[in-house]
Amino acid sequence: MTGFLPYGRQSVTDDDIEAVVAALRGDWLTTGPQVPAFEADLSAWAGGAGVAAVTSGTAALHVAYAAAGVGPGDEVIVPPMTFVATASSAVALGARVVFADVVAETFTLDPAAVAASITTRTKVVAAVDYAGHPADYDALRAALARSDALLLADAAHSIGATYRGRPVGSLADLTTFSFFPTKNLTTAEGGAVATGDPELLKRARRFRNIGLVRERDEQRWPDEGGWHQEVHSFGLNYRLPDVLCALGRSQLRRLGDFLARRAELVARYDEALAALPGVLIPGRRDWATPAWHLYPIRVLDGRRREVYDRMRAAGIGVQVNYIPAHWHPAFADLGYRRGSCPVAEAFYAQQLSLPLYPGLRDTDQDRVIDALAAAVRGVPIRSAA
């Protein structure tokens, strides 16, 4: 059998390495010229929104919720079909999370479920662009039209995607990105917050910088001296270093190519698996151009665990994304119960992510397809030559 095929993998070239080496040889390792340059490059992909680069996708969520003013007594509406950080980072600020179900087909946040969940305490509605497919942002806006809540897009999967011709990053009041190695571009660890609201951007940048106020016209004691800086409200050190921003800038130059290759691989999967009994391929809406971070199939008839185990044993790194967030013991201990989001929970019971990354060769993908077909049909999986 040939080597193990992971479900996701970074693509790093000599140009990326040279960009990092150049930054290492420069004067800045932490916050230097690469940080604002990376933020400007990201802004071009996010419809011109202002950007604050941070240390991870989880940090981006924490910063965005803090910029929105989330705190004790507030509620944040979150879909369960997401990595737990979408919810836990709101809890870290003292908020109560309200889980609202997802829609069948794309498994993104259900606008009707949001409308039924909004209260006077709702501070933020956090949509998740699951697998890289944008949520229905116009419908979500309509669902919270009578609320003062802000709309947040957790776009950890979807940088470069579009919704009705508009780029992700320009669709919500706040958008968060992740640049983990399996994502559509990487800074090793890293993330960003994007917003078109200058006040929200200022709050985000302050929170990621320990809350420091350096603008003299906003300081309470501006005449202390040129060294003076003040903390008016507490933040954290979530600054993304210059050296990692250099890597991100290099990666962004290839984001269009990354997205195109992912789309090619998705089309090949679609064609090969559309008629495979016992399997459903991912749904999508005609108003979206997904970024395809994941290729999430559904394995029917209660056979997901069997297929997962057989493919893993054959060296195919299938994955499950995700355990419904409200099932985690940390949320169960707070009183959240299974059965509250039936669409998401039924999807979880069937979901399986197939390998998908720009460096996946056609021959590797054929190996995945053959192994899946064998696993579903209950016949031996042939070893690759």
Side-chain angles (χ1 to χ4, degrees):
M1 184 177 70
T2 57
F4 182 81
L5 292 176
Y7 91 95
R9 191 177 190 278
Q10 71 272 16
S11 174
V12 174
T13 65
D14 287 343
D15 287 343
D16 295 334
I17 294 169
E18 289 170 9
V20 171
V21 170
L24 287 170
R25 288 177 172 155
D27 294 328
W28 302 89
L29 291 181
T30 55
T31 303
Q34 294 294 333
V35 177
F38 180 48
E39 291 172 341
D41 292 347
L42 283 170
S43 177
W45 280 93
V51 173
V54 296
T55 51
S56 69
T58 300
L61 287 159
H62 196 191
V63 168
Y65 287 141
V70 170
D74 293 327
E75 294 179 348
V76 174
I77 297 175
V78 174
M81 192 43 54
T82 183
F83 186 60
V84 68
T86 312
S88 62
S89 50
V91 175
L93 290 164
R96 175 178 177 267
V97 169
V98 177
F99 289 102
D101 212 348
V102 296
V103 295
E105 188 179 23
T106 63
F107 303 99
T108 54
L109 188 59
D110 183 351
V114 169
S117 301
I118 286 178
T119 72
T120 56
R121 295 183 296 278
T122 305
K123 194 77 170 186
V124 172
V125 173
V128 175
D129 294 344
Y130 180 76
H133 191 295
D136 191 344
Y137 287 97
D138 288 350
L140 289 169
R141 285 284 188 195
L144 54 85
R146 297 180 182 177
S147 168
D148 293 330
L150 295 180
L151 180 59
L152 182 146
D154 180 342
H157 294 182
S158 62
I159 187 168
T162 61
Y163 168 83
R164 301 189 187 278
R166 293 139 51 199
V168 166
S170 67
L171 305 170
D173 299 302
L174 290 151
T175 301
T176 61
F177 297 115
S178 172
F179 308 129
F180 189 73
T182 58
K183 298 301 195 298
N184 294 355
L185 72 122
T186 190
T187 56
E189 291 278 6
V193 178
T195 178
D197 185 321
E199 180 61 26
L200 289 174
L201 181 63
K202 182 168 73 172
R203 292 180 204 165
R205 286 179 170 169
R206 279 192 182 165
F207 189 84
R208 64 101 187 255
N209 194 33
I210 317 172
L212 292 173
V213 177
R214 290 173 171 155
E215 299 87 351
R216 288 175 59 85
D217 62 344
E218 297 186 35
Q219 292 177 348
R220 296 183 189 177
W221 298 285
D223 298 325
E224 287 291 306
W227 65 87
H228 186 62
Q229 51 192 353
E230 302 173 350
V231 173
H232 295 182
S233 59
F234 296 120
L236 295 169
N237 179 1
Y238 281 149
R239 298 186 298 261
L240 189 64
D242 226 49
V243 64
L244 296 186
C245 286
L247 172 59
R249 294 189 72 199
S250 181
Q251 288 266 306
L252 271 175
R253 297 186 187 105
R254 304 203 313 285
L255 180 56
D257 293 335
F258 291 160
L259 295 171
R261 178 56 179 161
R262 286 175 178 272
E264 288 176 2
L265 291 166
V266 165
R268 293 187 87 245
Y269 273 139
D270 284 350
E271 182 177 4
L273 303 179
L276 180 63
V279 167
L280 296 178
I281 64 175
R284 74 287 316 261
R285 300 290 175 84
D286 58 8
W287 39 253
T289 302
W292 292 120
H293 163 58
L294 302 173
Y295 189 82
I297 63 168
R298 282 179 279 169
V299 180
L300 307 181
D301 304 318
R303 301 184 62 213
R304 192 269 306 276
R305 175 67 179 270
E306 172 197 347
V307 171
Y308 171 92
D309 288 343
R310 293 194 64 200
M311 293 189 73
R312 280 270 173 165
I316 310 295
V318 290
Q319 186 57 282
V320 174
N321 304 96
Y322 299 96
I323 297 170
H326 63 296
W327 284 19
H328 286 281
F331 281 105
D333 290 347
L334 293 173
Y336 295 86
R337 293 291 176 260
R338 299 187 180 201
S340 60
C341 296
V343 178
E345 294 175 40
F347 175 60
Y348 163 70
Q350 300 173 334
Q351 194 276 334
L352 195 68
S353 297
L354 303 184
L356 182 68
Y357 49 93
L360 187 70
R361 300 171 300 180
D362 288 358
T363 52
D364 294 329
Q365 188 181 31
D366 291 341
R367 177 182 158 199
V368 175
I369 292 165
D370 291 345
L372 175 63
V376 169
R377 290 169 177 149
V379 300
I381 298 175
R382 293 182 300 171
S383 296

